[in-house]
Amino acid sequence: MAALSMTWSCPPLTSSKFRRVNRYSGMTFASVKSTEGLGNLPKVVLTSPHGSEAELYLFGACVTSWKVDSKDLLFVRPDAVFNGQKPISGGIPHCFPQFGPGPIQQHGFGRNVSWTLVSSENVEEKPVVTVELRDGPYSRAMWDYSFHALYKITLDKKTLSTELTVKNTDNKPFSFTTALHTYFSASVAGASVSGLKGCKTLNKVPDPTNPVEGKEERDVVTFPGFVDCVYLDAPNELQLDNGLGDKISIKNTNWSDAVLWNPHLTMEQSYKDFVCVENAKIGTVQLEPEQSWTAVQHLTVA
């Protein structure tokens, strides 16, 4: 498979190393490289001047890796399949245009189709990549609307930012729910999330089809067993202690809700090594023709 064509705003590169080092000053420039990933799937690698790195698969527009100081802060499950036939299990998968079960496939089709590379940029020495998804026969067979989704990924020294914009390009209104199903590397026994106290909760553990309503009373939420809980009207910043020595700030704009998930013994092979802390929009977003909705996420490691 040939490498994808890229648009560069940083200095032109003259070698196969897309991370460019100035031999006179020792400076490292932001870079973006298109390559083949697992299963020969197209992959884009972003590298910051500070050495941090992120990987984005065009299939599902899934960020599968975010490394700071060579340590990967995201997790891809060992049972993940990279064949372009099923969603990539790990990293930051999309749930769009449906979160969870419903009329169409679980978590929607956004994670199960190839997105298209739109551009790559160097913005203030930060590599930026934008991909897009439009409706097609596959999506319209289950969700009969015309739409345009843009997803922008920006990498800084210790921050990975994403911006999702969904536009209604149809002549009729539509609604959707969505989430970023982020898998963080963690030691589940020591992992915790703070910032959720006082939120209304929908606990899906007893019965996923009939969540139990409640209120979070804990200052620090842990993962002692199977966890599957929605937090409505969550604050715009949460703090994750991954139990591995890292403190990660999870900030957002317009992601109104949060979800914590760990499958515990239902996924015995890997549950001890990750937790999911998801920014979500559980209540439906209603868009009239030509209207857009945008949500931003910033992940920052201390």
Side-chain angles (χ1 to χ4, degrees):
M1 183 181 296
L4 298 168
S5 61
M6 301 294 296
T7 302
W8 293 90
S9 57
C10 49
L13 309 182
T14 56
S15 76
S16 61
K17 292 184 178 180
F18 283 68
R19 182 183 173 205
R20 185 177 185 270
V21 178
N22 186 307
R23 60 180 174 174
Y24 300 108
S25 66
M27 292 177 61
T28 303
F29 292 88
S31 71
V32 177
K33 176 185 176 182
S34 61
T35 184
E36 286 185 350
L38 297 172
N40 298 321
L41 293 177
K43 181 178 75 170
V44 180
V45 180
L46 297 82
T47 305
S48 83
H50 313 284
S52 56
E53 187 177 279
E55 296 184 356
L56 169 76
Y57 277 79
L58 296 187
F59 183 75
C62 187
V63 177
T64 55
S65 177
W66 169 40
K67 293 180 181 177
V68 177
D69 297 329
S70 300
K71 184 177 185 179
D72 206 330
L73 298 164
L74 300 180
F75 182 81
V76 175
R77 284 167 25 192
D79 62 339
V81 176
F82 291 80
N83 62 5
Q85 301 297 314
K86 63 179 295 186
I88 296 171
S89 300
I92 310 179
H94 286 272
C95 303
F96 173 83
Q98 174 185 288
F99 174 77
I104 64 175
Q105 62 184 247
Q106 173 85 0
H107 289 324
F109 53 75
R111 62 183 188 150
N112 204 30
V113 291
S114 291
W115 295 51
T116 302
L117 184 65
V118 175
S119 67
S120 64
E121 307 172 82
N122 179 349
V123 179
E124 298 177 346
E125 291 305 313
K126 296 187 286 286
V128 180
V129 167
T130 302
V131 294
E132 69 176 1
L133 180 65
R134 297 180 183 269
D135 56 286
Y138 177 75
S139 69
R140 295 191 75 108
M142 65 185 91
W143 198 64
D144 193 18
Y145 298 102
S146 176
F147 70 92
H148 181 209
L150 284 171
Y151 189 51
K152 182 166 72 173
I153 300 96
T154 303
L155 181 66
D156 204 349
K157 182 178 181 180
K158 292 190 173 184
T159 299
L160 177 70
S161 300
T162 63
E163 179 180 292
L164 175 65
T165 299
V166 178
K167 182 177 182 179
N168 182 349
T169 56
D170 212 316
N171 58 9
K172 57 184 180 292
F174 64 63
S175 61
F176 63 91
T177 56
T178 182
L180 296 177
H181 200 313
T182 308
Y183 288 70
F184 290 97
S185 291
S187 171
V188 72
S192 63
V193 177
S194 58
L196 292 167
K197 186 175 182 179
C199 289
K200 180 180 178 180
T201 59
L202 300 175
N203 186 359
K204 300 168 70 175
V205 172
D207 182 358
T209 63
N210 188 27
V212 177
E213 294 187 13
K215 181 179 179 181
E216 183 56 71
E217 302 290 351
R218 295 169 291 179
D219 291 312
V220 178
V221 181
T222 57
F223 298 81
F226 183 53
V227 174
D228 188 1
C229 191
V230 173
Y231 292 81
L232 299 177
D233 298 320
N236 59 13
E237 182 175 8
L238 303 176
Q239 296 289 336
L240 168 66
D241 181 337
N242 66 8
L244 299 171
D246 306 297
K247 304 291 193 301
I248 300 172
S249 164
I250 305 169
K251 291 185 179 180
N252 84 85
T253 301
N254 221 23
W255 289 107
S256 58
D257 311 304
V259 181
L260 301 190
W261 182 71
N262 181 271
H264 199 52
L265 296 177
T266 63
M267 203 172 290
E268 193 168 4
Q269 182 183 19
S270 59
Y271 81 91
K272 296 179 181 180
D273 300 321
F274 75 90
V275 296
C276 286
V277 184
E278 311 168 31
N279 275 317
K281 191 71 174 178
I282 303 301
T284 58
V285 178
Q286 179 82 18
L287 292 181
E288 298 295 324
E290 298 305 311
Q291 282 188 334
S292 297
W293 173 85
T294 299
V296 177
Q297 173 175 272
H298 300 290
L299 306 179
T300 303
V301 61

